Amino acid sequence: MSGNNVEENANHASNSKGISLPMTRVKLIMKSSPDVSSINQEALLLTTKATELFVQHLALSSFNNGPGKDQTLLYSDLANTVEEKETFQFLTDILPKKILVRDYLKLLEENPIEEADN
Amino acid sequence: MEEDRSTTDASQLTLGISGEYMSGGYVLQSQDDDGEESLNDHDDVGMKENFREQDIYLPIANVARIMKNGIPQTGKIAKDAKECVQECVSEFISFITSEPLKLYLQKFREAMKGEKGIPGVSVGEGLGEELTDDSFTNQLPAGIITADGQQQNVMVYTTSYQQIPGVQQIQFS
């Protein structure tokens, strides 16, 4: 059956140098989206590979973007990259910039109207 | 239709899912799910299912390794950076799964309303009688009418991401 062949290829790809992410986990996350019923094996493979490329792209962009001290990639680098680059805009909600509480309180004092809207 | 037998990776989950899901819904049960519904009332409102943290994220070791492959050899990665990329990854997967689905549903509804040149056709009607080769002149953007008149729902995924070259089509069957 062609389906089995695809799955064999997929397993082979994950065994060899192709893929290093667990596809079962990826599939689980994909299924957590509403309205998704079943997932094509090829689509799963492609998504897994795309995810790997995404991780590399995000890591490299953030690394080049910020001068993390001593060649270290820091959380702040990631947050800055996500805010600046358009392609990463969908991550802004889960990668907020960290701010000290006292700075935040100071901001609230300066902009009380903003808080009322929230 | 498909059975999940890919057990090659060490992180095989024994969630009792095995590629199937309960009919009529998307309730996926984790191991400890039985009888623990009440404990999850205070869970994250965004997640409807009772997932443990290790279930919704990809393993951090894998993520960290891929990150290291992306940056120059001498680079190091902060621990909280690894953790948050782990979350970003899950978000990314959900995003590229749901976005084309929204597009598809939108186009599908538009097509069914007849705005795309398919007059008088609704999914519920007898498709076999209504559609002949002559009347079906416009291509249905998100579905295929096969020869026997049955509507097959096929979603064509076009990426709007510039940074992922080569991702062209994903078909969710």
Side-chain angles (χ1 to χ4, degrees), chain B residues 3 5 12 29 39 42 50 61 75 80 93 103 107 109-110 117 120 126:
Chain B
E3 280 190 66
R5 291 203 201 97
Q12 178 198 2
Q29 291 183 344
L39 290 181
H42 58 279
N50 307 324
D80 57 354
I93 294 172
L103 269 176
K107 290 193 176 179
R109 286 185 196 124
E110 280 174 19

Side-chain angles (χ1 to χ4, degrees), chain A residues 20 25 36 38 40 43 71 73, chain B residues 26 54 57 62 76 78 173:
Chain A
S20 53
R25 195 73 67 85
V36 173
S38 57
N40 190 343
Q71 295 273 306
L73 179 64
Chain B
Y26 301 101
Q54 66 217 65
Y57 299 142
N62 298 44
K76 287 177 288 187
S173 56

Side-chain angles (χ1 to χ4, degrees), chain B:
Chain B
M1 173 179 120
E2 47 156 352
E3 280 190 66
D4 203 336
R5 291 203 201 97
S6 52
T7 59
T8 54
D9 54 82
S11 62
Q12 178 198 2
L13 306 171
T14 53
L15 294 181
I17 296 176
S18 58
E20 299 162 8
Y21 60 98
M22 302 196 193
S23 59
Y26 301 101
V27 178
L28 300 175
Q29 291 183 344
S30 59
Q31 287 176 22
D32 308 317
D33 193 35
D34 300 347
E36 282 190 352
E37 298 289 337
S38 57
L39 290 181
N40 292 301
D41 287 342
H42 58 279
D43 263 357
D44 187 357
V45 200
M47 300 275 293
K48 292 182 190 137
E49 290 85 17
N50 307 324
F51 287 125
R52 299 169 298 181
E53 191 178 293
Q54 66 217 65
D55 294 341
I56 60 175
Y57 299 142
L58 296 182
I60 195 165
N62 298 44
V63 171
R65 191 187 338 137
I66 299 174
M67 286 175 76
K68 283 218 177 75
N69 288 340
I71 64 176
Q73 203 61 1
T74 56
K76 287 177 288 187
I77 307 176
K79 181 160 194 277
D80 57 354
K82 287 185 204 172
E83 286 167 358
C84 89
V85 167
Q86 196 185 15
E87 294 176 19
C88 291
V89 162
S90 292
E91 177 71 18
F92 172 74
I93 294 172
S94 301
F95 193 61
I96 63 174
T97 307
S98 64
E99 281 299 304
L101 193 61
K102 284 188 215 161
L103 269 176
Y104 157 71
L105 288 173
Q106 184 188 4
K107 290 193 176 179
F108 188 75
R109 286 185 196 124
E110 280 174 19
M112 287 300 106
K113 273 189 230 163
E115 290 170 7
K116 297 277 182 172
I118 305 178
V121 172
S122 70
V123 182
E125 290 173 16
L127 291 173
E129 289 99 27
E130 300 284 343
L131 294 169
T132 64
D133 284 337
D134 296 320
S135 62
F136 185 57
T137 51
N138 277 356
Q139 195 174 15
L140 188 66
I144 292 180
I145 314 284
T146 56
D148 59 4
Q150 282 203 330
Q151 168 110 23
Q152 298 228 349
N153 294 331
V154 170
M155 177 170 65
V156 174
Y157 167 71
T158 54
T159 179
S160 58
Y161 278 101
Q162 294 95 353
Q163 89 267 29
I164 308 286
V167 176
Q168 306 230 332
Q169 277 198 359
I170 293 180
Q171 288 180 354
F172 291 85
S173 56

Side-chain angles (χ1 to χ4, degrees), chain A residues 65-77:
Chain A
N65 197 21
K69 48 178 186 172
D70 298 330
Q71 295 273 306
T72 307
L73 179 64
L74 300 173
Y75 177 88
S76 51
D77 300 332

Side-chain angles (χ1 to χ4, degrees), chain A residues 57-101:
Chain A
H57 183 73
L58 177 61
L60 189 59
S61 296
S62 306
F63 190 75
N64 291 333
N65 197 21
K69 48 178 186 172
D70 298 330
Q71 295 273 306
T72 307
L73 179 64
L74 300 173
Y75 177 88
S76 51
D77 300 332
L78 288 167
N80 287 333
T81 306
V82 159
E83 188 176 317
E84 287 161 22
K85 295 246 171 121
E86 197 186 323
T87 45
F88 295 127
Q89 291 282 310
F90 71 100
L91 292 170
T92 45
D93 285 338
I94 52 176
L95 269 182
K97 288 194 179 179
K98 290 183 180 170
I99 185 176
L100 290 173
V101 175

Side-chain angles (χ1 to χ4, degrees), chain A residues 10-52:
Chain A
N11 291 339
H12 187 63
S14 69
N15 284 337
S16 61
K17 48 202 166 186
I19 302 239
S20 53
L21 289 173
M23 289 205 296
T24 44
R25 195 73 67 85
V26 174
K27 186 169 179 178
L28 191 64
I29 300 174
M30 288 174 87
K31 281 200 173 182
S32 73
S33 287
D35 298 328
V36 173
S37 55
S38 57
I39 298 181
N40 190 343
Q41 193 68 17
E42 292 173 329
L44 176 61
L45 186 64
L46 196 55
T47 305
T48 308
K49 189 61 188 170
T51 310
E52 272 186 39

